[in-house]
Amino acid sequence: MDCNAVSPREAQSQDAVLLLGNYRPTITLVRTLKQLGYLTMVGLGGGEGEAERSRFADEAWDHPPLEEQETFIDALLGLLAERPDIKVVLPVAEGFVRLLADIADRLPDDRLYATPTARHVKLLLDKFGAYALAEEAGIPVAPFAQVDSYEELTSEADRIGFPLVIRSLVSAQRLGQKKALTVDSEDGLTRALPAWPAGHRGLILQRQVRGLRHNVYFAAQKGRLVRHLETLIERTDHPDGTGLAVEGRSVEPDARLLTHTKRLLGLLSYTGIGCAQFLVDRKHGEVHFLEINPRVAGNHAIAEAAGLQLGELAIRLADPATGEIAPRSGQAGLLYAWTYGDIRGLKAALAQGDISAGAAMRWAARLAFLAVTADVHMTWSWRDPMPTLCLFARQLGWKGSGGAASTAMATQRGTAG
């Protein structure tokens, strides 16, 4: 297996879609959009990579790092000027979604940008603003606060009370290696965060509510829900249940979550795809709103497997000429797994001393079982194995391009066989 080799593609004249953010949902999107007749172009940054290895990927764009914002913007605008065949730009990773919202007035207006409006993106990626919106809509939200200094952090923690969940104000940022920190006391807070975390302009504190996370994948047209699928997250890549989902299943929709999602989307007159997340305490019957992500969700493959067609709808909903879309719900009862993330999480937990040897063995047994029994895998496909094989080669120590300039696809165009 040569993960550096990418076969040249035969040139064709097709409408192209540019995918920005190269991580696991990008692999699914490349497969979906190629089947719809698009020439697919994958940006090489913004994730763990390897979507460019797909047999359905026609091109790769080796762009400047997103952190070099003005350089990236100049490169993007230059690419769009040079390539009028790129009819659609679809930002996948959150950083690109946020950036396109920030520069919406600088983008050429003869393309489709498969993302919700800049106003909706900015509102919903502001977690504090999203919580306020949910409260306005009468949706339960656990007590929360936004802080921007260590003094405020300790003061608001005392006011809200423990246990607490602490997240970055920018959801793509991590606190250490974690998406969120859980602290159960003042001493625990001091141990977890002895000082203000470097590089964070703000934090969100929220009273911890016990329960399981439920995702509602959706598409909406002018505030009307036209697609929905509810999934239950059963395990994540961290032993404490925070972090990224590695195991879950699609379930029959909870009427309360569906009502809350409809209410929020209607209040916003939202158009586009996204994912609403709730915490459900089955023991006490409580539901709490967590967030709405105005973008492609990380475990997008389950939504596609369940029949939602969100990749296609992200583009159709960006076109004002699209007629009324008939509503549809997704298939319940599908078990999904993200084996790559599961293994990565197990390795990290062992390296950091977060689990015992016995717990590690149980974790390994579970992920191995799911690898052969899950109905849906986040990256794996027998028809298109290379992206996943290259991801696993990296787990074994292979030093591939990972989105660097060494790929031979940077200027190739054409079609996958």
Side-chain angles (χ1 to χ4, degrees):
M1 179 183 71
D2 184 356
C3 288
N4 283 314
V6 182
S7 301
R9 307 302 171 90
E10 182 181 334
Q12 290 211 348
S13 176
Q14 287 179 260
D15 287 348
V17 55
L18 171 62
L19 298 160
L20 296 174
N22 190 345
Y23 77 124
R24 63 190 182 282
T26 313
I27 297 171
T28 300
L29 286 164
V30 164
R31 295 165 179 162
T32 299
L33 298 177
K34 187 63 186 177
Q35 297 304 312
L36 292 174
Y38 286 99
L39 186 150
T40 56
M41 186 177 193
V42 178
L44 293 180
E48 59 263 20
E50 311 305 342
E52 72 275 17
R53 313 295 176 193
S54 170
R55 63 188 287 262
F56 299 101
D58 296 297
E59 296 184 73
W61 179 40
D62 186 18
H63 57 72
L66 188 59
E67 293 77 15
E68 298 174 11
Q69 190 169 107
E70 284 304 318
T71 304
F72 173 81
I73 293 169
D74 289 344
L76 175 62
L77 296 178
L79 176 68
L80 295 178
E82 293 169 6
R83 293 286 301 273
D85 62 314
I86 298 176
K87 300 298 186 184
V88 180
V89 180
L90 200 169
V92 185
E94 183 174 307
F96 296 97
V97 174
R98 191 184 296 273
L99 180 65
L100 261 61
D102 288 340
I103 65 168
D105 58 348
R106 299 171 60 181
L107 295 168
D109 59 9
D110 60 344
R111 318 298 166 92
L112 292 179
Y113 300 94
T115 179
T117 66
R119 180 177 74 86
H120 289 150
V121 167
K122 292 176 181 180
L123 172 63
L124 294 174
L125 291 183
D126 171 6
K127 300 305 180 188
F128 191 83
Y131 288 153
L133 176 72
E135 287 190 324
E136 178 186 344
I139 297 169
V141 182
F144 63 93
Q146 177 180 329
V147 299
D148 57 18
S149 71
Y150 197 74
E151 182 180 5
E152 280 191 324
L153 171 64
T154 55
S155 174
E156 288 296 324
D158 185 61
R159 180 185 68 82
I160 294 174
F162 295 94
L164 279 174
V165 178
I166 305 172
R167 300 179 180 87
S168 175
L169 190 61
V170 179
S171 59
Q173 283 186 292
R174 296 292 186 259
L175 287 166
Q177 300 298 316
K178 295 187 175 184
K179 187 175 180 180
L181 295 177
T182 302
V183 294
D184 57 6
S185 65
E186 186 175 340
D187 288 344
L189 174 61
T190 303
R191 288 193 301 272
L193 288 175
W196 184 261
H200 292 263
R201 62 182 178 85
L203 299 176
I204 294 285
L205 311 184
Q206 192 167 30
R207 174 84 58 76
Q208 184 186 27
V209 177
R210 304 291 182 183
L212 294 173
R213 281 186 282 166
H214 288 239
N215 286 344
V216 179
Y217 299 84
F218 66 81
Q221 187 176 35
K222 298 178 182 178
R224 181 176 63 94
L225 190 70
V226 296
R227 293 287 191 277
H228 67 89
L229 173 76
E230 183 176 334
T231 65
L232 169 64
I233 296 174
E234 297 184 320
R235 283 193 312 114
T236 74
D237 61 352
H238 282 282
D240 63 3
T242 63
L244 304 173
V246 296
E247 177 187 348
R249 66 180 65 246
S250 60
V251 297
E252 294 294 339
D254 183 317
R256 297 168 299 173
L257 307 192
L258 201 55
T259 297
H260 294 333
T261 303
K262 287 179 177 179
R263 189 176 299 162
L264 284 168
L265 298 175
L267 186 63
L268 291 167
S269 191
Y270 186 102
T271 294
I273 70 170
C275 180
Q277 192 169 83
F278 301 87
L279 198 66
V280 179
D281 183 343
R282 298 292 186 190
K283 183 177 180 181
H284 299 98
E286 296 177 350
V287 171
H288 290 274
F289 172 77
L290 290 177
E291 61 186 7
I292 287 187
N293 285 314
R295 57 174 173 81
V296 175
N299 288 337
H300 173 73
I302 182 62
E304 293 298 272
L308 261 60
Q309 300 176 307
L310 295 187
E312 176 183 358
L313 283 176
I315 298 173
R316 290 180 61 194
L317 290 167
D319 186 350
T322 296
E324 186 171 296
I325 294 170
R328 181 191 303 168
S329 59
Q331 179 185 350
L334 296 176
L335 177 66
Y336 72 84
W338 180 32
T339 307
Y340 174 80
D342 219 352
I343 293 173
R344 190 175 63 182
L346 175 56
K347 289 173 63 177
L350 282 168
Q352 295 162 17
D354 291 337
I355 56 173
S356 66
M361 290 178 65
R362 290 189 293 274
W363 187 334
R366 182 63 186 172
L367 78 84
F369 174 76
L370 288 170
V372 297
T373 61
D375 299 302
V376 182
H377 290 275
M378 294 304 102
T379 63
W380 175 255
S381 167
W382 285 105
R383 296 183 63 231
D384 185 31
M386 283 300 291
T388 306
L389 292 176
C390 289
L391 284 167
F392 279 106
R394 188 186 308 160
Q395 287 278 7
L396 295 172
W398 167 73
K399 303 296 184 183
S401 67
S406 62
T407 179
M409 287 183 67
T411 59
Q412 300 289 349
R413 296 187 54 203
T415 182

